[in-house]
Amino acid sequence: MINIEGISDKKILIIDDETDILNLLETVLLKEGFRRIYKAASGLKGIEACKVYAPDIIVLDIMLPDIDGYEVCRKLREFTLVPIIFLSAKSDDVDKILGIGIGGDDYVTKPFSPKEVAFRIKAQFRRSQLLGIEKNGNTLDKVIAFGNIELNPGTGEVKKSGKPLALTAKEYQLLLYMVENRNRVISKRKLCDDVWGEEYIGYDNAIMVHICHLREKIEDDPSSPKYIKTIKGLGYKLSAKTE
């Protein structure tokens, strides 16, 4: 188990209009070692709080009194790529796919255990930390290039033909993982275990949505991908000669 570096310095923003949920999550997160917790009771206040506090992760309720969480997520993605965990009373797969598809990184349905939310927050931080480390323990500090794509694990930047790409946190994690396992067939279950850290059930569509969005950003022709190949019945493969 990897300890989360600087857990007390990690900034968490919770956007929810239910005071009881805001206070309960804050109490549990404080017990888990987090110290910098910010709260907002509406979507617009949450957007402003994000601009002011620059959180490292956002917990976002979908049902808000002004604008819904999906719209909040769209607006947040205009200026931040930090992980977003949705909270929702809706458990339908369609709602989960929509949340993930517009830039969310995880989805928790109500009623939930606040301990589960704390676990998922820690899982996001651990995964980000793990993806910045090679299997031998050395920090990845060299730019990885394939075709017209450049990925800098040290800064988290991805460029296409020299121009920065705006990837979400999960898209970046997915691309980095595929680059580390380039030219290998990776099953959806393996992607789910290593990138999402969740049970495969219910995440099949979420993985496909992220792959689709990643192709739209790095491929010249997403309908005929050069890099991210679908291996029918097996999974996906990043075909690339890296420099």
Side-chain angles (χ1 to χ4, degrees):
M1 181 66 71
I2 287 184
N3 293 323
I4 301 173
E5 295 178 0
I7 187 171
S8 62
D9 291 326
K10 299 292 185 184
K11 293 181 286 185
I12 302 172
L13 172 61
I14 309 169
I15 306 173
D16 198 304
D17 63 323
E18 296 185 51
T19 303
D20 289 345
I21 288 179
L22 287 174
N23 293 338
L24 181 59
L25 286 175
E26 180 181 33
T27 298
V28 171
L29 290 170
L30 287 170
K31 288 181 179 178
E32 293 295 320
F34 295 101
R35 292 291 176 266
R36 305 180 71 180
I37 301 166
Y38 307 97
K39 300 179 290 183
S42 73
L44 294 176
K45 288 180 180 178
I47 293 168
E48 289 306 310
C50 186
K51 292 178 179 178
V52 172
Y53 300 115
D56 297 297
I57 197 166
I58 298 167
V59 179
L60 173 61
D61 187 26
I62 290 178
M63 302 300 291
L64 294 168
D66 47 3
I67 57 176
D68 66 33
Y70 297 133
E71 183 62 22
V72 174
C73 182
R74 290 188 186 96
K75 291 182 180 297
L76 290 174
R77 283 293 177 243
E78 293 175 2
F79 64 89
T80 181
L81 300 177
V82 300
I84 294 175
I85 299 176
F86 277 113
L87 298 179
S88 177
K90 301 179 179 180
S91 59
D92 292 344
D93 284 346
V94 172
D95 295 301
K96 293 180 180 179
I97 294 168
L98 177 58
I100 301 254
I102 62 174
D105 296 278
D106 203 351
Y107 194 104
V108 181
T109 55
K110 296 179 179 180
F112 58 83
S113 162
K115 280 271 191 179
E116 178 189 357
V117 177
F119 169 80
R120 288 175 182 269
I121 289 172
K122 287 185 175 181
Q124 289 288 336
F125 286 138
R126 286 197 189 98
R127 202 158 298 116
S128 296
Q129 189 173 320
L130 276 168
L131 288 171
I133 301 173
E134 285 184 328
K135 292 179 176 61
N136 63 8
N138 296 324
T139 302
L140 284 166
D141 55 3
K142 294 182 179 179
V143 173
I144 303 168
F146 58 95
N148 60 346
I149 305 297
E150 293 182 356
L151 188 152
N152 188 328
T155 63
E157 292 180 318
V158 180
K159 295 181 179 179
K160 179 180 179 180
S161 300
K163 297 180 180 179
L165 290 179
L167 303 186
T168 67
K170 191 62 69 182
E171 288 167 355
Y172 173 78
Q173 291 172 356
L174 181 59
L175 179 60
L176 179 57
Y177 182 80
M178 296 189 79
V179 167
E180 290 175 341
N181 293 276
R182 55 194 173 274
N183 301 315
R184 299 177 186 172
V185 177
I186 310 169
S187 68
K188 291 180 182 177
R189 181 179 294 276
K190 185 68 173 170
L191 282 174
C192 192
D193 288 344
D194 292 349
V195 180
W196 269 262
E198 302 288 342
E199 291 294 329
Y200 178 70
I201 299 173
Y203 273 78
D204 183 35
N205 288 331
I207 293 170
M208 288 191 290
V209 168
H210 275 84
I211 290 290
C212 179
H213 286 181
L214 200 49
R215 280 175 173 156
E216 289 173 351
K217 293 178 180 180
I218 74 168
E219 301 281 1
D220 291 330
D221 182 3
S223 63
S224 180
K226 177 181 179 181
Y227 303 122
I228 302 177
K229 307 281 190 178
T230 297
I231 310 301
K232 193 171 182 179
L234 296 176
Y236 300 99
K237 179 174 72 172
L238 180 75
S239 297
K241 293 181 180 179
T242 56
E243 300 171 13

